Structures are given as C-alpha cells and as structure tokens.
C-alpha cells in the first residue's frame, strides 16, 4: 500500500526584477533573470522520509508551479505562494490543511533545499526531470474476470507450447507488474524475470494490483481493499491458467509481500511449485517495529507498538499522530487488520507443492531471519542464499546508499544466479 510519512512540494525560482538606474544593479538583474530561465520546466527529486525515498515531480512555470506525488495519486497540485531572491527561493503550499515550506538555492544545475512540514525538516535535492523512454511491449494483454470487473494481466509467452507458466506477484506498496515503484524507482526486476524465463521456455503472467496502473479502476477507495482480495485475484488468475491447455503446469513466483499473497493462493489452487523471493517469514507487525526502532522517537515508537497491537486484535484506532498517518491512517487500517492475521511461516506449512525460498545476502528490507523462519515452517523447502543480491534482485553492496542506488537503475541486470535457480526449480531439474 502507499507508504509515505511526508507529502512534499518543490521549488520555484522566477524573477521579475524592477528596472534600476544603477549599472551594478542592472548587471545583478540580468544575472538573476538568466538563473531563472534555467529553472523553468520540470524537476524531480526525492524526500528522504523514515519510510524511504519519496519521489516528487515539480512543473515550474513563469508565474506559478505545481507538485505531483505519484505514490499518493497527487497530480499538478498548485503552490500557494512563491518568493525569490536571486538564486534563493521559498515556496509554500497548503495541502489538506497542512502547511509546507521549502527553502532552496540553485547550485550547479540543481536545487538544494530543505523541506519543512509539521515541525520536521528534511533535505531535498531537485534535478531536471528526465522523461523515461518508451519500452517495447514484449507481452500480450489478457482480461481475467475478478470481483468488480476484469483484471488486466500481461502474458509473456514462451517459444513453444505447451509450456510451464508462472504467475509473478509483485511486492507491497505502489509496485507494478514490472517491479517498479513510485517510491523505490524503476528497476524492471520482475520484467526481467518474465523475459528471462520466456527465453528458458517458461511462460509467465504478471499484473498491476488493484488501484494501480492497468487495474487502477478496480479500486476507487483505499479502505475497500483487503489482503484477502489480493489473494483472491491471484487465485482467479491461477484457475484461468490451469484451464488453458497451452500450459503443461502452473507455478507461482512471489516477491516480497507477493510471497505471502502467493503462498496463500497456493493453498487454494493446484499449482506445481511455489517460489518465494525475499519473502517475509514473520508477521508484518514484527518486521515493521524492527524497521521503525531506529527511525522514530520513543513516544512515536510506543504509539506504533500500541496501534499494531490493537489492529492485530481487529480493533480500529481512531487517534493517530500526524507523523504516523502514512502508516496508520484510517483508510489503511482495514488492510492492515487483514494482513496482520497471517504468519507467513505457519501459512507456508500448509502449501502442498514444491517450495523454493530465495534470499539475498544484501537485502536491506528482508533478512536471513525471515528466510530461516520460512524454512522452519516448511522443512522440506529448498533454501538458497544469493551472495550480494539485494531486495530488487540486483547485485549490490551492503552499503545502504550504494545499495539503494540500484533501486532506480533499470540498466543493471538481475543477479546472475537468480534466473537459473528459478528455471531449474520450475522444470524440476536436479
């Protein structure tokens, strides 16, 4: 689901200098106008929030500007005011009653700024916006009946039929069928898996979850979605594949949160194998608290602990601090309740098909503890560690900054051991 702690806006620097008789002041005015001309257009950057980097896009026009935050569905939201002074700029925006201020300076072709909201101040750097080139479509589109409509899925065909087919399920938040996220960036990890498997004679299907991309219309209100609905969608896709004679066998590949969705779907459908990649092995409340301990003040950590305890009991929480709205806003609480009831390790024990657990050693989000927990829940599962593989399935160092840089670099290939391991397991090769 959408995870962000701060909504943010960007910066604008435009000049309308008063003419001066003084020659020195005239030179300064020309310099300022030149600087302003460089800033007209689109800019993009990341706010470093406790939940990770939050991408924003800002369209800077001569006398106005607007903000887009894709992960929140916020598009072209206008600034309240813009003030400038030479190479310095201040922008304010009133977003649903929340006052936001940004103060920045143009330097070396980018805007270095501070973002302030609700008493918190975070760094922000904006760089010229780069349009992503159109990628060639290598898949066919199918429509599969589900609750409230049809689910649009991408079918990556193998070279020969009949062939095995794998359902690839993406991770949490606004992560699309290709493995790309409005929060984490574009890395094409799941797209690469699908295309790589097709070359190995294994077809696959993948899809944008409800409320996202191709299937945005299937979810109009955040409070309407539950974890079980995601599972039901996956089961519908699997049943469609099972009925198609073009496929000799059906398999599931779940990444991150998609691992839990996949193993629950595997309990309800007759699949031959299940592959968990970077799947959590513990209940989500344990993992969230582990991640929040180093990021929140003691009082907010206690509130988070108490809130999760209430949600785990199925009780909605009415009063949530502004700093925790992104995690525990009222519209997300029904989803959290439906998610918290599952323990991945004990649920994996109920899966009858063959199971492969894959865990990267430089994964910053899911750790070896989770892989071991899954293995304990399913002792006959095969557990494979991939040295140097991170959460977006690329080769990456343990250094956090360098690791996160791979999240938004689609030119990087998958970890070299990943595709062979999946292919061999699906084909049941020794």
């Amino acid at each position: 689901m959408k995870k962000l702690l701060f909504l943010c806006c960007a910066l604008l620097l435009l000049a309308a200098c008063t003419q001066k008789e003084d020659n020195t002041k005239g030179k300064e005015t020309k310099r300022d106008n030149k600087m302003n001309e460089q800033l007209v257009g689109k800019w993009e950057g990341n706010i470093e929030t406790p939940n990770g980097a939050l991408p924003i896009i800002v369209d800077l026009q001569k006398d106005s500007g607007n903000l887009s935050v894709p992960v929140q569905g916020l598009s072209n939201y206008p600034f309240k005011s813009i003030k400038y002074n030479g190479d310095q700029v201040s922008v304010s925006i009133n977003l649903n009653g929340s006052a936001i201020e940004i103060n920045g300076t143009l330097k070396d072709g980018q805007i270095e700024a501070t973002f302030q909201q609700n008493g918190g101040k975070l760094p922000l750097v904006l760089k010229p916006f780069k349009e992503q080139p159109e990628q060639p479509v290598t898949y066919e589109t199918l429509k599969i009946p589900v609750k409230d409509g049809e689910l649009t899925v991408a079918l990556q065909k193998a070279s020969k039929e009949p062939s095995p087919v794998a359902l690839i399920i993406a991770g949490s938040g606004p992560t699309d069928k290709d493995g790309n996220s409005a929060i984490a960036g574009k890395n094409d990890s799941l797209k690469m898996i699908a295309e790589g498997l097709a070359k190995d004679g294994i077809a696959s299907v993948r899809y944008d979850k409800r409320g996202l991309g191709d299937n945005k219309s299937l979810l109009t209100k955040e409070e309407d979605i539950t974890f079980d609905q995601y599972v039901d969608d996956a089961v519908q896709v699997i049943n469609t594949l099972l009925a198609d004679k073009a496929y000799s066998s059906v398999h599931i590949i779940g990444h991150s949160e998609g691992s839990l969705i996949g193993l629950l779907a595997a309990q309800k459908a007759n699949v031959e194998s299940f592959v968990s990649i970077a799947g959590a092995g513990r209940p989500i409340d344990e993992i969230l608290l582990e991640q929040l301990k180093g990021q929140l003040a003691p009082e907010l950590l206690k509130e988070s602990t108490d809130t999760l305890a209430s949600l785990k009991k199925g009780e909605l929480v009415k009063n949530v601090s502004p700093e925790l709205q992104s995690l525990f806003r009222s519209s997300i609480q029904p989803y959290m309740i439906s998610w918290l009831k599952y323990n991945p390790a004990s649920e994996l024990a109920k899966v009858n098909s063959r199971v492969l657990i894959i865990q990267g050693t430089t994964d910053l989000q899911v750790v070896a503890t989770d892989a071991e927990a899954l293995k304990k829940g399913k002792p006959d599962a095969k557990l494979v560690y991939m040295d140097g593989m991170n959460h977006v399935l690329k080769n990456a160092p343990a250094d956090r900054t360098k690791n996160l840089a791979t999240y938004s670099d689609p030119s990087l290939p998958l970890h070299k051991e990943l595709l062979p391991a999946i292919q061999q397991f699906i084909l049941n090769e020794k």
Side-chain angles (χ1 to χ4, degrees):
M1 304 299 294
K2 300 170 184 172
K3 298 178 181 178
L4 57 101
L5 198 57
F6 291 87
L7 297 176
C8 50
C9 57
L11 314 175
L12 181 59
L13 181 58
L14 295 169
C17 298
T18 304
Q19 290 184 349
K20 301 294 182 180
E21 301 265 337
D22 187 90
N23 289 336
T24 302
K25 292 183 178 180
K27 292 179 180 179
E28 291 176 352
T29 299
K30 292 180 180 179
R31 182 192 64 194
D32 292 344
N33 281 335
K34 182 178 181 181
M35 189 77 73
N36 292 330
E37 290 172 0
Q38 296 174 2
L39 291 172
V40 175
K42 279 189 176 182
W43 296 78
E44 60 185 349
N46 294 309
I47 295 289
E48 290 296 331
T49 78
N51 284 337
L54 174 65
I56 63 171
I57 300 171
V58 184
D59 191 0
L60 307 180
Q61 299 301 321
K62 183 177 180 180
D63 299 311
S64 62
N66 60 68
L67 161 73
S68 296
V69 185
V71 65
Q72 198 199 12
L74 189 69
S75 180
N76 300 326
Y77 197 94
F79 295 139
K80 179 181 178 181
S81 66
I82 305 164
K83 296 180 181 179
Y84 54 89
N85 181 17
D87 61 352
Q88 298 178 341
V89 60
S90 296
V91 172
S92 66
I93 186 170
N94 186 342
L95 186 57
N96 297 327
S98 179
I100 297 171
E101 292 185 3
I102 294 182
N103 298 294
T105 302
L106 185 65
K107 183 179 180 181
D108 298 329
Q110 63 185 24
I111 303 173
E112 299 178 1
T114 57
F115 167 81
Q116 187 169 347
Q117 180 184 20
N118 297 330
K121 185 178 291 186
L122 296 171
L124 168 66
V125 175
L126 290 170
K127 299 180 180 180
F129 180 79
K130 294 182 179 179
E131 294 283 355
Q132 294 292 338
E134 290 291 331
Q135 296 293 323
V137 175
T138 60
Y139 57 82
E140 296 181 7
T141 298
L142 302 177
K143 300 283 188 179
I144 296 179
V146 294
K147 181 184 177 183
D148 301 324
E150 291 182 320
L151 190 74
T152 300
V153 306
L155 167 62
Q156 201 86 38
K157 283 190 171 183
S159 55
K160 295 181 180 180
E161 293 183 357
S163 69
V165 62
L167 168 60
I168 302 174
I169 306 175
S172 62
T175 306
D176 66 14
K177 62 180 176 292
D178 291 336
N180 302 326
S181 167
I183 294 178
K186 181 182 176 65
N187 56 75
D188 280 347
S189 56
L190 302 187
K191 177 176 181 284
M192 291 178 182
I193 289 179
E195 293 177 347
L197 289 179
K199 293 178 182 178
D200 289 332
I202 301 170
S204 67
V205 294
R206 63 193 194 277
Y207 56 87
D208 300 327
K209 67 190 71 175
R210 288 172 178 260
L212 188 68
D214 294 336
N215 296 306
K216 187 175 183 179
S217 62
L218 288 177
L219 178 64
T220 56
K221 294 190 298 181
E222 187 176 52
E223 54 267 34
D224 290 342
I225 191 61
T226 66
F227 199 86
D228 298 303
Q229 185 59 65
Y230 284 152
V231 175
D232 289 343
D233 288 343
V235 171
Q236 286 296 101
V237 175
I238 293 167
N239 287 336
T240 300
L241 298 176
L242 286 168
D244 195 326
K245 294 182 179 180
Y247 308 117
S248 56
S249 58
V250 179
H251 309 258
I252 300 175
I253 302 170
H255 176 246
S256 191
E257 184 189 74
S259 170
L260 180 55
I261 294 171
L263 67 87
L264 293 172
Q267 296 175 13
K268 300 181 178 182
N270 186 26
V271 297
E272 184 171 310
S273 76
F274 167 67
V275 179
S276 171
I277 308 175
R282 297 165 289 164
I284 190 58
D285 55 321
E286 293 183 24
I287 296 175
L288 277 176
L289 289 175
E290 184 179 272
Q291 294 174 346
L292 293 173
K293 279 182 180 178
Q295 303 181 36
L296 296 180
E299 62 274 14
L300 291 177
L301 183 60
K302 184 180 184 303
E303 181 182 341
S304 298
T305 303
D306 294 341
T307 299
L308 284 167
S310 295
L311 294 174
K312 196 159 188 174
K313 292 188 290 186
E315 300 172 357
L316 296 173
V317 179
K318 292 184 179 180
N319 298 317
V320 177
S321 296
E323 296 88 344
L324 298 177
Q325 283 292 321
S326 66
L327 287 174
F328 304 121
R329 59 192 178 277
S330 59
S331 60
I332 199 67
Q333 290 187 26
Y335 180 82
M336 294 290 292
I337 288 173
S338 68
W339 191 7
L340 284 162
K341 67 183 179 182
Y342 292 114
N343 182 329
S346 59
E347 294 297 335
L348 186 59
K350 303 174 186 177
V351 174
N352 294 322
S353 59
R354 294 183 294 115
V355 174
L356 171 63
I357 302 166
I358 298 176
Q359 178 63 44
T361 62
T362 55
D363 194 321
L364 299 176
Q365 295 168 247
V366 178
V367 296
T369 302
D370 293 287
E372 296 293 341
L374 289 174
K375 173 68 173 177
K376 186 176 180 179
K378 183 78 171 174
D380 61 346
K382 182 179 180 181
L383 172 57
V384 176
Y385 286 103
M386 298 205 165
D387 188 40
M389 188 177 81
N390 70 355
H391 196 68
V392 295
L393 318 181
K394 308 297 179 74
N395 197 73
D399 178 81
R400 182 176 181 83
T401 300
K402 293 179 180 178
N403 193 304
L404 292 176
T406 69
Y407 282 48
S408 55
D409 188 351
S411 68
L412 295 175
L414 294 171
H415 189 282
K416 64 180 181 179
E417 297 175 9
L418 182 62
L419 274 174
I422 297 173
Q423 187 254 4
Q424 290 170 18
F425 185 76
I426 287 177
L427 298 180
N428 204 15
E429 297 177 349
K430 303 299 182 182

